[in-house]
Amino acid sequence: MTFNSYSFIFIFLPIFLFGVWGLQHIGLFTEKKQMLMKLWLIAMSAFFFVGYGKLSCFVFLGSIAFNLAFAMLAGMGRTKPDRLLKVIAIICNVILLCFFKYMSDGAMPVAISFYTFSQIMFIAELGNDEKQCGILDYLCYILFFPKVLQGPIADYKNINTGIEKLHEDVLDFENIAEGMRLFTLGLAKKVLLADVLGKAADFGYGILTTATAMDALIIAVSYSFQLYFDFSGYCDMAEGICRMLGMDLQINFDAPYRAENIAQFWDRWHISLTKFFTKYIYIPLGGSRRGKLRTYINIMVVFLISGIWHGNGWGFIVWGMMHGVLMVITRFYGKYKRNKETGTVGRTVGTILTFLYVNCAWVFFRAPKLSDAKVLLGKLIDPNAWSGLHITVKLAECFMVDEIWYIFKVTPISGWNKSNYICMWIIMIISAFVIFRGKTARKIAEEKKHPFLYGVLFVWGVVSLGGVSTFLYVNF
């Protein structure tokens, strides 16, 4: 089951929410109500995951059984587990992840990266909290469906604190309305923008040998925008679900393409993954405590691992190394630049250059082969390729949105020579505005304005669910 499906929106989510709200108003002792709430969350989260097939369920169940057995052996938080046992458990989790990512001939269980990282975080922190962890607490944390597919990689304490409060009578209509607005905005990002941009990117990477320079530019930017709206859309929907419950989910995405440098980018993109790598890889390697050279080496190691984690291929390694190199340069420059605030022009230039660099790195991330990435980037930097500004008609037609085209058909626009390109420019301009100038979905949802617009977006998004697509980060 996925957030952008009829079964989730009209069956699963309402049943889940009404179940939570109903349990909040049952007249039972606190402990019993709390237990029923946790059982409800576990049962519904397990049902949410079951639809992803036997392999995914079997591997997830095995991971849960192994880590739960270890946690029980270690006292489930009552005692400090032996450091060696924790290391062995963490290594076993890493081996499981590496096996399916690199040695299983493409048989990749859904969400294995995210729940494995959550398992590692749980084991690493076991015994650090004075409060005892129970079996239900662990299962709620690891199965919690708003985060299980692609994060955030939140720590046990963060999730458990919110879940423990669910039994309280916290039915708040303002929270529910804000959560619905946030969910709607996330759905619109995914269905109306990310999926349309994805069609163009997929088509474009199939015609690289015949693509023009303008085609190459549209293809590269389309994928960058697609990934942005796909991931931010998921984060908005997950936060929206939690907000309807009265919970605060850890922020995992914060307008990263507005970053002025690569360090800011990674403070805004997949925030929980950045924190995970920093805490469990960068700092144990020595962080910045062992001199400049060692710091730069540690940075490169982290980004190499990040590239390897994202996928099995040289393109992902190049992508990771590109980010690592720029991070080292930024870190080196930061030590010597003057201690004064950058002006508006400097911030704007920094944002543009950072986006261009990140966009080029995404080309290696998305291209099926390194040679394909070289072809696309070669067309962008070849002056001769820019002799004309032609865009392939079939590429432009990938941006066709039926609802917009129906409007065009009753106007003179449909008879224009370049009418096939209008949808493309509308989608690209709207996307660029939302990314670089618009308010974040979180801030818009808090403002309680334009209820009619939310209605339109929700209906439009639901109508467009016919071609349900998975979220990109589920594959990582």
Side-chain angles (χ1 to χ4, degrees):
M1 193 178 300
T2 182
F3 291 172
N4 57 321
S5 64
Y6 293 118
S7 57
F8 179 85
I9 294 173
F10 294 112
I11 300 175
F12 179 89
L13 186 58
I15 291 174
F16 172 75
L17 291 173
F18 281 113
V20 171
W21 297 333
L23 287 171
Q24 287 174 346
H25 291 82
I26 290 179
L28 295 173
F29 291 113
T30 298
E31 292 79 7
K32 195 163 187 179
K33 186 191 289 190
Q34 202 172 54
M35 184 186 71
L36 287 174
M37 185 68 74
K38 290 176 181 177
L39 288 172
W40 175 251
L41 192 150
I42 291 167
M44 292 300 289
S45 294
F47 182 80
F48 172 85
F49 198 85
V50 163
Y52 284 99
K54 294 179 181 178
L55 174 65
S56 294
C57 291
F58 177 77
V59 175
F60 197 7
L61 185 61
S63 174
I64 289 172
F66 169 80
N67 286 281
L68 182 57
F70 170 83
M72 292 177 69
L73 181 66
M76 291 294 281
R78 287 192 297 269
T79 60
K80 289 274 188 182
D82 183 85
R83 182 177 177 84
L84 179 60
L85 284 177
K86 292 175 74 169
V87 170
I88 292 172
I90 290 171
I91 289 174
C92 289
N93 278 287
V94 172
I95 290 173
L96 176 72
L97 177 59
C98 290
F99 173 79
F100 281 103
K101 267 191 170 289
Y102 309 108
M103 294 176 281
S104 60
D105 297 324
M108 183 71 172
V110 168
I112 186 171
S113 291
F114 293 98
Y115 65 69
T116 300
F117 282 176
S118 292
Q119 302 278 29
I120 291 171
M121 186 179 290
F122 176 77
I123 294 297
E125 300 301 319
L126 199 61
N128 293 345
D129 194 346
E130 294 180 1
K131 188 173 181 181
Q132 181 179 343
C133 169
I135 294 175
L136 294 184
D137 299 318
Y138 163 78
L139 291 174
C140 283
Y141 164 68
I142 207 67
L143 285 168
F144 191 49
F145 77 86
K147 75 170 185 68
V148 72
L149 292 183
Q150 56 186 71
I153 308 167
D155 60 43
Y156 165 78
K157 189 175 181 180
N158 178 278
I159 297 296
N160 187 254
T161 299
I163 289 173
E164 285 195 334
K165 293 180 180 179
L166 287 185
H167 73 279
E168 300 173 2
D169 186 5
V170 292
L171 187 59
D172 186 320
F173 289 104
E174 286 193 10
N175 279 339
I176 294 171
E178 184 180 323
M180 292 175 68
R181 291 194 292 268
L182 193 51
F183 184 90
T184 298
L185 291 172
L187 178 67
K189 284 181 181 180
K190 168 61 178 169
V191 177
L192 304 181
L193 292 175
D195 287 352
V196 174
L197 290 158
K199 290 178 184 177
D202 291 344
F203 176 82
Y205 273 97
I207 61 161
L208 290 181
T209 54
T210 59
T212 66
M214 275 298 293
D215 287 342
L217 179 62
I218 296 296
I219 294 165
V221 174
S222 292
Y223 181 71
S224 294
F225 285 3
Q226 177 199 5
L227 195 53
Y228 182 100
F229 287 119
D230 191 278
F231 192 31
S232 65
Y234 178 92
C235 293
D236 292 339
M237 295 168 86
E239 286 185 49
I241 294 167
C242 290
R243 176 56 57 191
M244 291 182 224
L245 300 174
M247 286 179 61
D248 291 319
L249 189 63
Q250 179 179 329
I251 295 174
N252 204 26
F253 196 92
D254 188 20
Y257 287 170
R258 300 181 194 181
E260 297 168 32
N261 55 59
I262 201 67
Q264 283 188 14
F265 174 83
W266 282 106
D267 284 339
R268 294 164 172 253
W269 179 281
H270 211 325
I271 299 168
S272 63
L273 181 66
T274 301
K275 290 180 177 179
F276 181 89
F277 282 148
T278 300
K279 185 173 183 178
Y280 297 106
I281 299 177
Y282 179 71
I283 292 176
L285 286 173
S288 58
R289 303 186 304 273
R290 299 185 180 178
K292 295 177 184 177
L293 179 60
R294 182 63 179 271
T295 298
Y296 301 149
I297 292 173
N298 292 343
I299 290 172
M300 294 301 295
V301 169
V302 168
F303 279 100
L304 173 62
I305 292 173
S306 179
I308 294 172
W309 172 76
H310 276 88
N312 184 7
W314 285 105
F316 294 102
I317 292 176
V318 172
W319 170 83
M321 290 296 91
M322 286 182 68
H323 279 271
V325 168
L326 188 57
M327 183 69 83
V328 168
I329 293 172
T330 302
R331 187 69 174 259
F332 178 82
Y333 172 71
K335 296 292 183 183
Y336 297 99
K337 69 178 181 179
R338 294 178 186 174
N339 186 23
K340 67 177 183 179
E341 188 175 337
T342 307
T344 302
V345 174
R347 290 196 299 269
T348 302
V349 172
T351 299
I352 292 172
L353 292 178
T354 301
F355 173 73
L356 291 176
Y357 190 89
V358 168
N359 196 75
C360 289
W362 284 137
V363 171
F364 289 97
F365 190 91
R366 171 60 179 83
K369 297 179 293 186
L370 283 179
S371 57
D372 294 327
K374 292 176 183 177
V375 169
L376 190 149
L377 293 174
K379 291 177 182 291
L380 290 175
I381 63 176
D382 182 5
N384 297 324
W386 289 95
S387 56
L389 298 178
H390 177 69
I391 299 173
T392 302
V393 175
K394 288 189 176 180
L395 176 61
E397 289 176 348
C398 292
F399 291 89
M400 286 289 189
V401 177
D402 290 341
E403 292 81 4
I404 296 178
W405 187 244
Y406 291 149
I407 296 174
F408 287 174
K409 289 180 80 171
V410 298
T411 68
I413 294 176
S414 59
W416 292 1
N417 230 0
K418 302 291 184 181
S419 60
N420 290 329
Y421 297 91
I422 295 176
C423 268
M424 180 190 74
W425 289 118
I426 289 175
I427 296 295
M428 295 299 280
I429 290 171
I430 289 176
S431 299
F433 177 80
V434 171
I435 288 171
F436 295 107
R437 299 296 300 170
K439 296 178 181 177
T440 63
R442 200 175 301 106
K443 290 182 179 178
I444 294 173
E446 290 172 355
E447 292 179 348
K448 310 175 187 177
K449 297 179 181 178
H450 314 301
F452 176 74
L453 178 61
Y454 287 104
V456 171
L457 287 177
F458 182 78
V459 172
W460 192 358
V462 167
V463 168
S464 302
L465 286 178
V468 177
S469 62
T470 58
F471 289 89
L472 294 177
Y473 257 85
V474 171
N475 301 315
F476 298 143

